[in-house]
Amino acid sequence: LWLGEKAVCARSRLVGMALSEESNSGGKQADRRRSTALSSSAPVGRSAEGKQGGDAPPDIAGSKRVVGSRYAGGAASFPQLVSFDDAGKMLEAIAPFLTQDSRGRYPITGRNAAYALNQLKRLRADGANHAAQERLVDAAVAKMPEMELKHVALALNGAKKAPKQAAVRLAAAGCSHALLLLARAEDGDPGEGDFGVSAQAIAMLLNALSAQPPPLPGSADADSFSARDEALLFDAATTALLRMPQARFDTQSVATTLNALAARGRFDAPLFRHLAAAVLAPRDGLSLQS
């Protein structure tokens, strides 16, 4: 009898332990199922929101959707600039990004301001849009410190469609910032494209400047863009180009640079030899036509 009672007690304890383990296992599985369900049905958080906001892509040609700056209340999408065929409609669409906040800051990013100015070159801008163009230029000037060299070039390329005084302000700000970028790159290695300084970006910048009317010989106005300012920029660009390895050049950047130099009557023999050597150097991708 005593052995029978012991066996019954042992069996009862084993059954109880098994039931307890099954209960714990079932609870953990239920917890995992609830966790999975919550994670799959949870609303989009900050990570997904970050994908919708932020800066524009580095190159407008590489993306049809240019994402604009982030407002304080969330992300806002910058309009698709290439879809516009009228300057007035484009300026109206980007107007919210050209309104300063309480601290005087513009929601638009520097690169988006440059892209918008560049689009004005291909669109017809009439006198009724001058006020909006002035606001765009003011935003671009304010955002100039965050632009890379190619963005400066894009902004200046569109300046010809802006009102004259606005174009002068933009050229002055762009020249000053470009000189700063070229000076910083000179301390490093411009051949590696530091600070956005590349042969292509320099070619775009010089071409944008040479396409505008020649600047005034000199002026005491701090907002003016003088011939001396342009000469300093061409000198700095020449120094940066001479320091670049020949492999960094392509035929387009060389041709664009030579066209800009000829437009301003600048003929620097060492630079011409350097560019010629870069084009004539044996490499893949160069054809007789190029």
Side-chain angles (χ1 to χ4, degrees):
L1 290 175
W2 179 79
L3 289 175
E5 290 176 359
K6 288 293 186 181
V8 171
C9 291
R11 186 166 62 249
S12 298
R13 284 196 299 271
L14 290 174
V15 171
M17 292 173 62
L19 291 175
S20 177
E21 290 178 359
E22 182 178 355
S23 176
N24 291 337
S25 176
K28 292 179 180 179
Q29 291 179 359
D31 289 341
R32 283 196 295 270
R33 286 195 297 269
R34 284 195 298 269
S35 176
T36 303
L38 288 174
S39 63
S40 62
S41 62
V44 177
R46 184 175 299 176
S47 60
E49 186 179 74
K51 293 181 181 179
Q52 297 175 358
D55 286 341
D59 189 355
I60 192 172
S63 175
K64 294 183 178 179
R65 181 172 179 268
V66 181
V67 183
S69 309
R70 184 187 296 274
Y71 284 112
S77 296
F78 199 71
Q80 183 180 334
L81 300 179
V82 295
S83 65
F84 292 96
D85 57 5
D86 179 78
K89 293 180 179 179
M90 187 196 78
L91 290 169
E92 182 180 355
I94 66 174
F97 295 89
L98 306 179
T99 302
Q100 294 173 284
D101 61 15
S102 59
R103 298 183 180 181
R105 299 173 301 185
Y106 291 94
I108 195 171
T109 62
R111 64 182 63 183
N112 280 348
Y115 294 145
L117 281 167
N118 190 53
Q119 288 301 309
L120 286 178
K121 183 189 67 171
R122 70 176 183 87
L123 301 176
R124 298 179 60 183
D126 53 36
N129 299 323
H130 279 186
Q133 292 181 56
E134 291 270 3
R135 289 195 297 272
L136 177 56
V137 169
D138 290 341
V141 170
K143 291 290 185 172
M144 191 67 70
E146 67 184 50
M147 292 189 191
E148 294 182 1
L149 197 63
K150 70 175 182 179
H151 300 137
V152 178
L154 289 173
L156 295 182
N157 195 43
K160 62 183 69 175
K161 288 292 185 178
K164 183 177 180 180
Q165 291 302 319
V168 171
R169 292 201 310 273
L170 185 63
C175 177
S176 177
H177 184 55
L179 283 171
L180 179 62
L181 292 177
L182 291 170
R184 288 176 177 176
E186 186 176 359
D187 295 336
D189 182 8
E192 297 298 327
D194 294 349
F195 306 102
V197 176
S198 64
Q200 184 66 30
I202 292 177
M204 291 170 56
L205 178 66
L206 298 183
N207 190 60
L209 286 175
S210 64
Q212 300 182 26
L216 300 174
S219 174
D221 188 355
D223 291 332
S224 68
F225 181 60
S226 67
R228 179 177 178 275
D229 297 326
E230 186 180 87
L232 289 174
L233 182 56
F234 269 83
D235 290 343
T238 298
T239 301
L241 291 173
L242 285 171
R243 296 179 65 244
M244 285 187 182
Q246 295 177 358
R248 297 290 176 181
F249 294 89
D250 58 17
T251 52
Q252 182 181 4
S253 62
V254 171
T256 304
T257 300
L258 291 175
N259 183 69
L261 295 173
R264 282 298 190 256
R266 294 181 63 94
F267 301 97
D268 187 287
L271 178 58
F272 275 38
R273 294 191 185 97
H274 188 63
L275 296 177
V279 172
L280 297 176
R283 73 180 78 175
D284 296 332
L286 293 181
S287 63
L288 182 60
Q289 181 180 0
S290 63

